[in-house]
Amino acid sequence: MKKAVPAVITKIRARQILDSRGIPTVEVDLHTNKGMYRASAPSGASTGMYEAVELRDGDKGKYLGKGVSKAVNIINDKISEALMGMDPQLQSQIDQAMIDLDKTDNKAELGANAMLAVSIAACKAGAAEKEAPLYKHISDLSGKSSTTLPVPAITVISGGKHAGNNLAVQEIMILPVGASNFEEAMQMGSETYHHLKAIISEKYGPSGCNVGDDGGFAPNISGISEGLDLVIEAIDRAGYNGRIKLAIDVAATDFCIGKKYDLDFKSPNKVGQNFKTGEDMIEMYSQLCTEYPVVSIEQPFDKDDWEHTKLFTALGLCQVVGDDLLMSNPKRIERAINEYTCNALLLKVNQVGTVTEAIEVVKQAKDANWGVMVSHRCGETDDSFIADLAVGLGAGQMKSGAPCRGERLAKYNQLLRIEEELGSEAVYAGENWRSP
């Protein structure tokens, strides 16, 4: 009897909640005649000019201007009215209805935070109506027949705008590509993380074990090599030599001044600023890829430095991931593909605004034989949606911070559940992390 009545959206209710940094974000409860489905939107610290617009109130008297009551009201009024009575299984129609309602190129009218929370909630409702797991529903929406568990890109050291140390680059990550399944990958990541904690405590004292926004340790190291040496020692102590590779998120846009890069941008007592040209940076990255098992470098140059990104990618030393360069924006991705600028997409769902558009940009990247890394934001919630998204789209890579802090582990723990549910059909990307 239950199947006789198809599900329709009967009510959408939004509220303001707090993200992992204590900053407001949007949460949505989407009701159908079958149940209630909840989703929330993440938020970034280093948001860029080419990504979809996050709607904030701007009232300095409340939450320092960061409130989202405007976005909440838009959902409760305009979006709710537009989607009432729609079938939650028709994801692209729901997303298109919001895009049509917005009418801007960058979601400035309704806000990407408002649209994304509704889009994810609808996706969860659609999966429930089909009585299918969320990752399977996403796989169906993208026209894929298979699912893959991603290699976790686990943050172990934080820097940049995500931590209060002097390290310019934003994070050092470990990729357990040599694990036989996702569960073992998380074990390897967790053990390495705890060995690293002991090493940092020995060398820098207990305060070096304070963590950044993503849960990575933030010892007061001055340079990237010093950080990589600590991680290599931790991998060695854990007994995973050769089975764990390294990745770096440089987030170079944050310290690009004019056409140069200031690696001392966080240092309080600058003697002479440590400025490097694009060519100097290419030389530095090339050396790091030679000396360490670095297989992926994210945003090595400024968001508009197409020239040096292309020159470095052409060397073929590692995966070069576009973050600020691409902003999950289909037009910028198309340009990067045509000009061979980078060879991997960092997918942040709130940069694009809806589930349908996220599926489309991943297709775009995969058609160009790019790697795809699904990513959290530094302002996260306990919504684990991106875990199912990474599996359903067969991304091969997912970053969700350290094996520490609940909002980061919500995603990794969901992947453990998915692997258990898939049983003998579970496939871990492993060594095929770039093209699963």
Side-chain angles (χ1 to χ4, degrees):
M1 277 305 290
K2 194 169 76 162
K3 273 290 176 200
V5 186
V8 293
I9 296 170
T10 55
K11 185 169 105 179
I12 300 174
R13 190 85 203 146
R15 68 183 64 84
Q16 180 169 270
I17 62 166
L18 297 182
D19 72 16
S20 58
R21 295 170 302 162
I23 294 172
T25 190
V26 181
E27 180 175 81
V28 166
D29 291 349
L30 184 143
H31 297 257
T32 70
N33 45 345
K34 303 283 176 76
M36 188 275 281
Y37 309 91
R38 179 171 287 163
S40 50
S43 173
S46 44
T47 50
M49 61 197 286
Y50 302 111
E51 64 181 283
V53 172
E54 188 178 65
L55 204 61
R56 297 274 179 192
D57 296 344
D59 175 0
K60 296 291 183 195
K62 286 184 180 171
Y63 288 111
L64 313 175
K66 299 271 193 183
V68 290
S69 57
K70 278 184 193 167
V72 166
N73 292 337
I74 282 169
I75 294 169
N76 290 340
D77 302 334
K78 286 186 185 173
I79 294 178
S80 176
E81 190 183 333
L83 303 186
M84 207 56 66
M86 289 184 79
D87 179 347
Q89 293 179 89
L90 304 176
Q91 186 73 39
S92 62
Q93 290 181 26
I94 288 167
D95 291 340
Q96 193 58 51
M98 289 192 284
I99 291 165
D100 293 343
L101 194 62
D102 180 89
K103 296 189 184 71
T104 68
D105 281 347
N106 60 355
K107 318 279 191 292
E109 189 68 31
L110 301 182
N113 44 350
M115 291 168 75
L116 180 68
V118 173
S119 184
I120 292 173
C123 193
K124 292 177 179 179
E129 171 62 7
K130 274 165 54 175
E131 296 183 359
L134 183 54
Y135 60 86
K136 178 71 177 77
H137 177 50
I138 292 167
S139 177
D140 293 345
L141 291 173
S142 70
K144 277 179 65 70
S145 54
S146 60
T147 54
T148 312
L149 282 133
V151 169
I154 300 170
T155 306
V156 288
I157 289 183
S158 294
K161 281 190 171 176
H162 289 188
N165 53 8
N166 289 339
L167 183 64
V169 303
Q170 198 160 272
E171 52 190 317
I172 297 172
M173 294 167 277
I174 54 173
L175 277 66
V177 296
S180 55
N181 54 32
F182 185 81
E183 186 183 6
E184 190 189 12
M186 283 314 296
Q187 181 190 329
M188 289 164 71
S190 174
E191 288 173 6
T192 303
Y193 182 81
H194 288 286
H195 279 293
L196 180 62
K197 184 176 184 176
I199 291 163
I200 289 170
S201 188
E202 287 162 22
K203 294 189 176 178
Y204 303 89
S207 66
C209 298
N210 290 342
V211 300
D213 284 347
D214 303 338
F217 298 116
N220 213 3
I221 51 180
S222 51
I224 186 158
S225 294
E226 194 179 341
L228 292 170
D229 287 338
L230 292 170
V231 178
I232 290 293
E233 190 178 337
I235 292 169
D236 188 43
R237 277 198 198 180
Y240 295 124
N241 277 339
R243 297 178 66 198
I244 292 179
K245 302 296 182 188
L246 304 182
I248 304 163
D249 176 7
V250 182
T253 304
D254 291 343
F255 54 88
C256 180
I257 297 160
K259 296 210 173 238
K260 292 200 170 178
Y261 297 89
D262 181 11
L263 289 171
D264 278 346
F265 86 107
K266 289 164 69 179
S267 179
N269 47 354
K270 295 182 179 182
V271 187
Q273 285 163 317
N274 189 3
F275 282 124
K276 292 200 181 292
T277 64
E279 286 75 19
D280 295 337
M281 298 293 276
I282 288 175
E283 198 177 314
M284 180 180 86
Y285 298 140
S286 302
Q287 199 172 345
L288 292 175
C289 290
T290 309
E291 292 175 7
Y292 301 94
V294 173
V295 293
S296 178
I297 298 182
E298 182 186 323
Q299 202 55 42
F301 301 96
D302 179 61
K303 65 183 182 299
D304 292 315
D305 193 343
W306 294 76
E307 178 199 352
H308 290 106
T309 312
K310 182 176 179 172
L311 287 170
F312 179 57
T313 303
L315 297 175
L317 296 171
C318 67
Q319 170 179 267
V320 180
V321 188
D323 178 9
D324 307 345
L325 182 84
L326 304 174
M327 286 297 169
S328 309
N329 180 319
K331 287 179 184 159
R332 291 179 74 82
I333 295 167
E334 185 181 8
R335 179 182 167 187
I337 289 168
N338 292 338
E339 296 180 12
Y340 302 100
T341 312
C342 58
N343 56 26
L345 165 70
L346 190 77
L347 177 71
K348 293 174 171 172
V349 282
N350 73 318
Q351 287 183 336
V352 63
T354 65
V355 173
T356 302
E357 290 165 291
I359 291 170
E360 283 167 3
V361 294
V362 168
K363 272 188 187 155
Q364 198 183 355
K366 285 193 169 279
D367 286 348
N369 295 315
W370 277 19
V372 175
M373 187 182 280
V374 173
S375 172
H376 65 155
R377 301 303 309 257
C378 82
E380 263 300 337
T381 72
D382 56 5
D383 193 329
S384 62
F385 176 75
I386 62 166
D388 286 82
L389 185 71
V391 174
L393 297 179
Q397 310 167 56
M398 188 190 86
K399 62 187 274 193
S400 178
C404 159
R405 298 189 51 143
E407 76 283 355
R408 312 294 151 190
L409 286 160
K411 286 72 167 166
Y412 294 136
N413 289 340
Q414 175 65 359
L415 289 169
L416 290 169
R417 293 179 202 111
I418 291 171
E419 182 168 71
E420 181 185 59
E421 189 177 308
L422 283 167
S424 60
E425 289 175 25
V427 176
Y428 173 61
E431 302 283 358
N432 303 319
W433 54 280
R434 272 191 53 81
S435 51

